[in-house]
Amino acid sequence: MRLTLQHAFPVIALTVLAAGSFWLERATRGPGTAVEASEEQGPDIIVEQMALTRFDINGKPHYYLDAREMRHLPGQAHSRLTDPVVHLVRDALDMRLASRSADVRDDGDRVDMAGNVRGERTIPGEPTTHFASESLIVWPNVESAKSLDPVTITQDGATARGDTMTADNVFGVMTLTGHVQAHMPIKRK
Amino acid sequence: ERADRGKPVNIEADKATVDERKKVHIFEGRVVLTQGTLQIKGDRLTVTQDGDGFQKGVATSEDGLASFRQRRDGSGEYVNGQAKRIEYDGRTQKTYLYTNAHVVSGKDEVRGQYIQYDGYTGQYVVTNSGSSQANSGGGRVRAVIQPKQPAADAAPATTPAPSDAAPATDAPAQ
C-alpha cells in the first residue's frame, strides 16, 4: 500500500500540534511551578525527641529548641516540629514557649509556632507572666516575637487582651493592638 | 466614692504598650479607665503602679479635653470634670486637673487652670496657675456654689429656722 502525502497529512499535523503545545506549556511555566513537583517530596530527615541548643557569642546557652519530632522538608526549606518548646534563657530571663506545631526555616532565625501557643516568662522576684494565643512568630536570636491572633497576657491576677501583639526581648516591652482590654486588681502588699 | 479605692481597675483602648522593666502601661486610642464609680476618658493614658499595688493614671487628650467622673459618698451625686490633663492617684483618691480645668458637682461648678479634687472629702482646691500655688498675675478663678436647700419646712418650729447663713461651700477657693 503506497502511503501518499494525502494519507500522511493528518498524522504530520497532529505531531506538529502536539509538539507545539508541549513547547508552549514549557515556555509558559512560571519559576515556582518547577518546585511544585518537589514540594510533594516528603521529608529527607526525621528526628525523634529533638533537643537543639543555641549558644550566644560568649559561649553561653541562649535558647533551646526541643520537639517530640522534627521533619525536614527540603522542598520548602524548613522543618516541621511537633510539640515544640522554645526555651529562652539569658541573665535572669527565663521564657518558655510551647505549641502544637512549629515551622522552623532552614536558617533557624525564625520559629512560626501554631496551635494552642502557651508562654511562661519568669524573672526572679517578679510574678510569672503567662501568654496564650493561637499563633506566635518568634525570632529567638534577637529575642522578639509577634502574634497575629488574639492574645491574652496574665500576671498576678491582672490580665490584658488584644487582637494582635508585638514584643521585644520577648515580652520585656509588649504592644497589644486592637480591642485592648486590661483588668488590674488592687493588690495590697 | 471611698469604696472605689478597693475596686479593680479596668481599661479599654485601641492599643496598649507594656514596659515590664519600667512597670509602665501606656494606653492609646479612645481610652476608658473604670474603677468602681470612677471613670476617666482620654486619648492617651499612662498607668504606673507603686510598690503597694496602688495605680496612678495620667490621662491626656490630643484635641479636646480628658474627662473624669466619680460618684460622691453619701449624696450619690456625680462629680464631672474636664481638663487638658488629668492625673489620678489611687492611693490618696485625689484627682488633679491641669489647664482649662472645669469641675461640676451637682449644681456647683468651678473653673480654673488647676483643680485638685479630693475624692474622700469632696473638697476642691482651684487656682489660676498650673499648680496648687495661686499666681497673683494670672487669670481669675470662677466658682459657682449653689446655696444648699434649708431643712425641709416640715421640721417642728421649736428648732430655730436657719438664718441666711452663707451657703455651705465645698470649695475653699483660693
Side-chain angles (χ1 to χ4, degrees):
Chain A
M1 183 183 93
R2 286 182 60 248
L3 193 61
T4 65
L5 183 61
Q6 198 178 356
H7 288 112
F9 178 72
V11 173
I12 295 168
L14 281 176
T15 308
V16 167
L17 191 62
S21 54
F22 179 74
W23 170 79
L24 191 63
E25 194 273 336
R26 273 285 154 165
T28 55
R29 175 179 283 193
T33 40
V35 174
E36 261 158 33
S38 68
E39 266 180 14
E40 286 101 30
Q41 180 190 357
D44 57 357
I45 302 169
I46 295 179
V47 177
E48 302 288 343
Q49 303 305 324
M50 182 190 95
L52 177 147
T53 304
R54 178 94 176 213
F55 294 89
D56 65 16
I57 201 163
N58 306 310
K60 285 197 301 184
H62 185 197
Y63 68 84
Y64 305 94
L65 180 55
D66 305 338
R68 184 163 57 79
E69 182 191 79
M70 180 210 86
R71 290 171 169 255
H72 179 247
L73 305 169
Q76 298 160 48
H78 74 244
S79 299
R80 168 67 49 87
L81 309 183
T82 306
D83 296 339
V85 174
V86 178
H87 189 188
L88 253 159
V89 285
R90 182 186 39 69
D91 307 333
L93 167 69
D94 186 298
M95 180 82 196
R96 199 170 174 284
L97 295 158
S99 62
R100 264 201 297 274
S101 70
D103 287 348
V104 183
R105 289 197 317 203
D106 281 358
D107 57 23
D109 268 358
R110 167 175 155 165
V111 182
D112 292 44
M113 306 185 82
N116 194 30
V117 185
R118 293 292 180 268
E120 245 184 42
R121 184 177 196 267
T122 50
I123 290 182
E126 298 276 341
T128 299
T129 304
H130 298 273
F131 163 87
S133 179
E134 272 311 300
S135 72
L136 184 69
I137 303 170
V138 185
W139 289 268
N141 294 324
V142 294
E143 294 186 4
S144 65
K146 173 168 80 170
S147 179
L148 301 177
D149 282 301
V151 165
T152 301
I153 308 281
T154 52
Q155 183 189 55
D156 204 15
T159 62
R161 285 188 184 79
D163 290 345
T164 61
M165 178 199 83
T166 58
D168 264 337
N169 185 248
V170 192
F171 306 163
V173 175
M174 175 181 50
T175 300
L176 295 171
T177 310
H179 302 98
V180 171
Q181 291 182 329
H183 171 80
M184 302 180 187
I186 299 298
K187 286 262 161 203
R188 297 287 181 274
K189 295 252 168 72
Chain B
E1 230 181 42
R2 201 175 293 255
D4 291 345
R5 191 172 193 255
K7 298 280 176 53
V9 171
N10 288 293
I11 302 169
E12 292 183 9
D14 293 338
K15 178 181 176 183
T17 302
V18 176
D19 189 323
E20 269 230 318
R21 276 161 295 212
K22 298 174 187 157
K23 297 286 178 226
V24 173
H25 299 63
I26 299 172
F27 296 87
E28 296 164 283
R30 299 178 297 163
V31 184
V32 179
L33 175 147
T34 309
Q35 182 182 30
T37 69
L38 169 72
Q39 185 178 74
I40 296 178
K41 291 184 179 180
D43 295 330
R44 180 186 169 94
L45 175 70
T46 303
V47 177
T48 52
Q49 184 163 300
D50 67 19
D52 294 331
F54 288 107
Q55 270 104 13
K56 270 187 181 172
V58 178
T60 54
S61 182
E62 299 299 322
D63 315 320
L65 299 173
S67 67
F68 102 96
R69 181 175 197 261
Q70 186 170 31
R71 190 163 57 200
R72 292 184 52 188
D73 268 323
S75 67
E77 275 173 3
Y78 270 87
V79 178
N80 291 276
Q82 290 181 325
K84 201 65 181 166
R85 185 171 101 246
I86 296 179
E87 293 186 10
Y88 168 69
D89 187 330
R91 178 190 287 271
T92 62
Q93 289 279 297
K94 282 186 175 162
T95 304
Y96 307 86
L97 296 90
Y98 298 85
T99 312
N100 301 339
H102 174 213
V103 171
V104 177
S105 169
K107 296 190 179 70
D108 298 349
E109 184 180 351
V110 289
R111 287 179 187 276
Q113 287 312 303
Y114 168 83
I115 298 178
Q116 172 189 306
Y117 168 69
D118 188 323
Y120 271 144
T121 63
Q123 285 199 342
Y124 317 79
V125 171
V126 192
T127 74
N128 58 0
S129 74
S131 73
S132 56
Q133 297 311 313
N135 176 356
S136 58
R140 308 293 284 168
V141 161
R142 284 186 50 238
V144 176
I145 310 296
Q146 296 295 346
K148 296 303 177 265
Q149 289 303 324
D153 299 346
T158 53
T159 53
S163 64
D164 48 358
T169 169
D170 286 326
Q174 280 186 342

